[in-house]
Amino acid sequence: GAVVSQHPSRVICKSGTSVKIECRSLDFQATTMFWYRQFPKQSLMLMATSNEGSKATYEQGVEKDKFLINHASLTLSTLTVTSAHPEDSSFYICSARGVGIREKLFFGSGTQLSVL
Amino acid sequence: AQTVTQSQPEMSVQEAETVTLSCTYDTSENNYYLFWYKQPPSRQMILVIRQEAYKQQNATENRFSVNFQKAAKSFSLKISDSQLGDTAMYFCAFMKRQNNDMRFGAGTRLTVKP
């Protein structure tokens, strides 16, 4: 099956710094990637949708200047948490839709962000 | 907007028995997919089963089957012969066919007891 690699799996940073999370489709081209956030014992909440070569579409309530998303190629999308604060601590998961594969999304393994 | 409701925050079942997890959804769409995902402690999202809304036949994957009632907007998951490895969070999800916008329910924590 299709593989989505997400790195890092865990990151600890100081408050005020920026953190970049990468989501790569390893064996397929991903025209669309999705970023989710999951708080402990809660569900996945869609943050934004990124399409290759265009600006990301953010869900209501998600600050686009804080969560910068770049989808510069068909195999890579990045999420940068800028000026991170403790309340940004969460589990972030990406998923990808392959070209011609409309009915499936493939998930990365997630990134646990802890902001001190 | 689509909403997905899982009304059972936690459930438990004895090993080898059968358990059913409930899910309802609300949508005005006609073309969509429904999914059940398993999230074990590793937090990797694992696809359990998928159902196309235009198919009347209920999807089945080995010990996992669904009861899809389109008119009632219900999509329950039945796990037969439960195994200890089935212990996990289970999320019901709805995805519009048009744009792959996937929305998740709140989840049901399933514990399989030996």
Side-chain angles (χ1 to χ4, degrees):
Chain A
V3 177
V4 174
S5 174
Q6 187 174 342
H7 289 283
S9 59
R10 181 178 296 272
V11 58
I12 301 172
C13 69
K14 293 182 179 180
S15 185
T17 60
S18 295
V19 174
K20 180 184 284 188
I21 302 170
E22 292 188 349
C23 181
R24 292 182 184 272
S25 56
L26 296 186
D27 51 0
F28 67 100
Q29 292 183 323
T31 53
T32 306
M33 288 188 174
F34 303 87
W35 289 94
Y36 296 85
R37 183 173 183 176
Q38 186 180 28
F39 289 108
K41 298 185 179 181
Q42 294 189 24
S43 187
L44 283 73
M45 301 300 295
L46 181 65
M47 298 175 65
T49 301
S50 72
N51 293 295
E52 185 266 337
S54 62
K55 290 184 178 180
T57 302
Y58 290 82
E59 294 298 303
Q60 190 173 7
V62 177
E63 300 175 60
K64 63 180 181 181
D65 293 331
K66 168 170 262 312
F67 299 100
L68 299 179
I69 292 172
N70 184 282
H71 192 164
S73 78
L74 283 172
T75 58
L76 175 64
S77 177
T78 60
L79 168 66
T80 301
V81 183
T82 62
S83 186
H85 290 284
E87 57 265 30
D88 299 324
S89 298
S90 186
F91 189 67
Y92 294 87
I93 308 177
C94 69
S95 68
R97 177 173 75 86
V99 174
I101 310 174
R102 296 194 65 87
E103 71 279 12
K104 284 186 180 180
L105 294 183
F106 302 97
F107 284 83
S109 54
T111 298
Q112 178 63 52
L113 170 64
S114 299
V115 184
L116 304 179
Chain B
Q2 284 64 233
T3 58
V4 180
T5 302
Q6 292 178 251
S7 58
Q8 305 152 315
E10 294 187 12
M11 291 194 73
S12 63
V13 62
Q14 290 295 132
E15 191 176 9
E17 294 189 348
T18 295
V19 64
T20 298
L21 308 184
S22 301
C23 174
T24 59
Y25 59 96
D26 186 26
T27 185
S28 58
E29 300 284 329
N30 196 44
N31 294 319
Y32 54 89
Y33 300 97
L34 295 164
F35 304 83
W36 279 97
Y37 278 92
K38 171 184 177 181
Q39 189 180 44
S42 68
R43 305 185 83 170
Q44 174 72 55
M45 295 293 284
I46 300 169
L47 177 64
V48 175
I49 201 164
R50 184 188 78 217
Q51 174 81 42
E52 292 93 336
Y54 63 87
K55 288 188 176 180
Q56 292 185 336
Q57 186 173 7
N58 290 324
T60 299
E61 287 288 341
N62 302 313
R63 298 183 295 108
F64 301 89
S65 61
V66 298
N67 183 1
F68 174 46
Q69 301 291 327
K70 190 173 183 179
K73 296 180 181 175
S74 170
F75 184 62
S76 61
L77 173 69
K78 185 172 80 172
I79 305 175
S80 303
D81 186 24
S82 297
Q83 300 176 0
L84 296 178
D86 295 334
T87 293
M89 280 291 290
Y90 286 82
F91 292 101
C92 177
F94 172 101
M95 184 173 80
K96 280 197 265 188
R97 179 180 170 84
Q98 175 189 2
N99 60 7
N100 292 105
D101 186 339
M102 182 176 281
R103 306 289 168 153
F104 291 85
T108 297
R109 182 172 301 278
L110 176 67
T111 302
V112 180
K113 299 180 178 179

